[in-house]
Amino acid sequence: MTTSANISPFAPKLAPSILAANHANLREGLDKILGLPIEWLHLDIMDGHFVPNLSFGPKTIADLRPMAPDLFFDTHLMLSRPDLMIDAFADAGSNQITVHVEPFYPILETLREIRGKGLKAGLALNPGTPLERVFPFLEEIDLLLLMTVQPGFGGQSFRHDVLDKIKAAHEIREQQNLPFRIEVDGGVDSDTATLCAAAGADSFVCGTAFFKADNLENFRRNIEG
Ligand code: DX5
Ligand code: ZN
């Protein structure tokens, strides 16, 4: 990606997803990130209900926290009832907690609870969810996560049909002068990141593409400039 592709008011941020690392030795995957000037770590939490997969929980985050005191823990809750676990993921050391708009739970109160704890609040949409679903919450968030795969698994193919949604979200952000980042997540690599940046995205979750990259610093530089 060339930084000229970036039209967002925010500087581009790479958020490697530790889901794609070796879960029998997370320290190894974390050390690859700590060895580079990367500031964000994306932590994918799955409940086997909202998404058909299970990943890890608050204790994993709490154990990773002291190993990476300066990393911004970008926690992505793919849970049917994220409102029941905000305390747990906040106490474990998250810096940002992103919840999905699709399940039925008190979304507004949950976003305000996250911010009330001094954390950044994110709201996520699956590829098939219309952007209109988040309109009531745009003043309540610091990050809008537009999934570019159906959540549940790493290593899926990027969904180009989401690019129009990214463009629309960027236009609304500009028109209403709203200070939320636009994050993309799923099948993001150097090439698809360029497309997303040109549409207005500024935060790039990369799991497979990051951990499979031949040269991690070159990969980072392609995304962050
Ligand atoms: C999928 C997760 C993504 C995923 C990204 O449900 O939310 O963060 O781990 O992995 P890649 O980059 O491999 O698609
Ligand atoms: Zn994610």
Side-chain angles (χ1 to χ4, degrees):
M1 176 178 101
T2 54
T3 45
S4 60
N6 190 31
I7 61 172
S8 166
F10 293 97
K13 277 270 180 273
L14 167 64
S17 169
I18 198 94
L19 185 73
N22 172 7
H23 284 235
N25 181 3
L26 284 179
R27 168 102 245 183
E28 177 194 50
L30 188 63
D31 282 345
K32 290 177 180 171
I33 296 165
L34 294 173
L36 297 169
I38 290 172
E39 294 175 348
W40 283 32
L41 176 66
H42 189 78
L43 298 140
D44 284 308
I45 310 302
M46 301 177 181
D47 64 0
H49 185 259
F50 176 64
V51 294
N53 197 2
L54 284 167
S55 59
F56 50 89
K59 177 156 180 358
T60 303
I61 293 182
D63 289 348
L64 289 169
R65 183 74 276 177
M67 295 180 186
D70 301 327
L71 273 186
F72 182 83
F73 277 20
D74 169 31
T75 302
H76 176 193
L77 299 186
M78 287 163 273
L79 311 178
S80 292
R81 290 296 308 273
D83 54 309
L84 302 180
M85 298 208 70
I86 300 306
D87 277 340
F89 285 101
D91 294 347
S94 300
N95 299 101
Q96 175 167 269
I97 297 178
T98 297
V99 295
H100 271 261
V101 76
E102 291 88 5
F104 182 76
Y105 66 96
I107 297 172
L108 179 61
E109 291 80 354
T110 303
L111 293 169
R112 287 180 174 170
E113 180 187 359
I114 295 167
R115 277 184 157 178
K117 292 177 178 296
L119 308 183
K120 298 289 188 186
L123 190 56
L125 281 85
N126 289 343
T129 304
L131 188 61
E132 290 73 15
R133 287 283 301 279
V134 299
F135 286 178
F137 310 107
L138 292 179
E139 306 267 350
E140 311 288 340
I141 60 173
D142 305 289
L143 177 129
L144 178 63
L145 169 48
L146 300 179
M147 292 303 296
T148 42
V149 296
Q150 188 65 12
F153 299 89
Q156 299 179 74
S157 299
F158 179 85
R159 292 262 307 256
H160 290 76
D161 57 307
V162 180
L163 287 170
D164 286 340
K165 192 191 289 185
I166 299 167
K167 287 184 189 121
H170 172 70
E171 281 161 17
I172 290 165
R173 173 173 65 182
E174 294 292 288
Q175 286 158 9
Q176 299 181 26
N177 196 27
L178 291 167
F180 58 80
R181 277 186 165 267
I182 296 175
E183 186 175 62
V184 288
D185 182 1
V188 179
D189 60 22
S190 300
D191 298 328
T192 54
T194 301
L195 300 174
C196 293
D202 43 63
S203 309
F204 305 91
V205 176
C206 300
T208 305
F210 176 78
F211 284 101
K212 285 193 169 170
D214 295 333
N215 183 309
L216 294 176
E217 173 53 11
N218 286 349
F219 185 91
R220 182 201 70 78
R221 209 176 294 125
N222 279 336
I223 301 285
E224 295 189 333

